[in-house]
Amino acid sequence: AYDYLTKDKERKYLKILPFKIENAIQKYRTEQSLNQQNKIINAIINNSDTIIYVKEINGKYLLVNKKYEDLFNVKNEDIVGKADLDSQKKHLDKFGENDTKVHKELKPLAFEENIEHNGEIQTYISVKFPLLDEAGKTFAIGSISTDISKRKKLEQELSDLNKTLDERIQERTKELEMSNKELEHFAFVS
């Protein structure tokens, strides 16, 4: 750098140097800000109690979160850049159909999706959405899935209780009708 400055009789480099330093500082600050934002986004994604993934249209994963890794017993580095693993295919066929619907309709859609896990069926509400490139074409599908299995179980229990209650009301109504007929008959005979 010293050679340039001593050989530069017209001081061109000295005039340009402050701008180059300013640009370098601005670039550094921008990179630091982007790194901070990425850390925040990754923390949100990986600490979420929902399953989050992003898949390219060709089926290759761009992102899976910690909850996804735990559910399917895979590591991020083993699946990102690859399509569904054979061990996942039996679970994910229906999910793929729903991804295709989102790709065709080009808008976010919600689906109720079931998956077997540890011998039990779990139910999820999945919100799937297209990710668009600069030209407005879908390059990937994002999904955020919330486990609603407990809610579904409670809904079923409530439905069963309502059915039982309806049956008991019908039985009791019949009993009361029979009692009324007996009373009427008794009153008529007397």
Side-chain angles (χ1 to χ4, degrees), residues 37-133:
Q37 288 176 0
N38 282 338
K39 286 179 184 177
I40 291 169
I41 290 169
N42 284 331
I44 291 168
I45 289 170
N46 284 314
N47 288 296
S48 174
D49 198 33
T50 60
I51 296 170
I52 300 172
Y53 71 83
V54 176
K55 246 184 183 181
E56 291 179 329
I57 296 306
N58 65 10
K60 291 183 180 177
Y61 285 89
L62 295 174
L63 175 140
V64 298
N65 72 338
K66 179 79 171 104
K67 188 77 171 180
Y68 185 102
E69 290 177 333
D70 294 344
L71 180 67
F72 292 108
N73 197 28
V74 296
K75 292 289 179 200
N76 197 342
E77 55 270 9
D78 294 334
I79 194 161
V80 169
K82 298 174 187 158
D84 294 326
L85 302 173
D86 288 337
S87 61
Q88 296 171 286
K89 287 193 185 288
K90 67 178 181 176
H91 301 298
L92 301 177
D93 287 340
K94 182 68 175 171
F95 292 6
E97 291 174 21
N98 293 338
D99 291 350
T100 301
K101 287 178 187 174
V102 170
H103 177 61
K104 286 180 181 175
E105 295 195 30
L106 292 176
K107 64 180 183 179
L109 298 172
F111 302 94
E112 188 171 295
E113 298 177 316
N114 295 310
I115 187 167
E116 186 180 333
H117 183 67
N118 292 334
E120 292 185 23
I121 298 294
Q122 292 181 317
T123 305
Y124 292 86
I125 287 291
S126 297
V127 176
K128 298 183 176 227
F129 47 92
L131 297 170
L132 308 176
D133 62 17

Side-chain angles (χ1 to χ4, degrees), residues 7-18:
K7 293 178 183 176
D8 183 22
K9 305 292 184 207
E10 297 174 16
R11 299 192 171 273
K12 291 180 196 172
Y13 292 115
L14 290 176
K15 292 177 185 174
I16 296 172
L17 191 59

Side-chain angles (χ1 to χ4, degrees), residues 24-39:
I25 291 170
Q26 186 61 34
K27 182 179 177 184
Y28 174 79
R29 287 181 181 156
T30 300
E31 287 173 358
Q32 291 301 311
S33 177
L34 288 173
N35 286 339
Q36 183 66 22
Q37 288 176 0
N38 282 338
K39 286 179 184 177

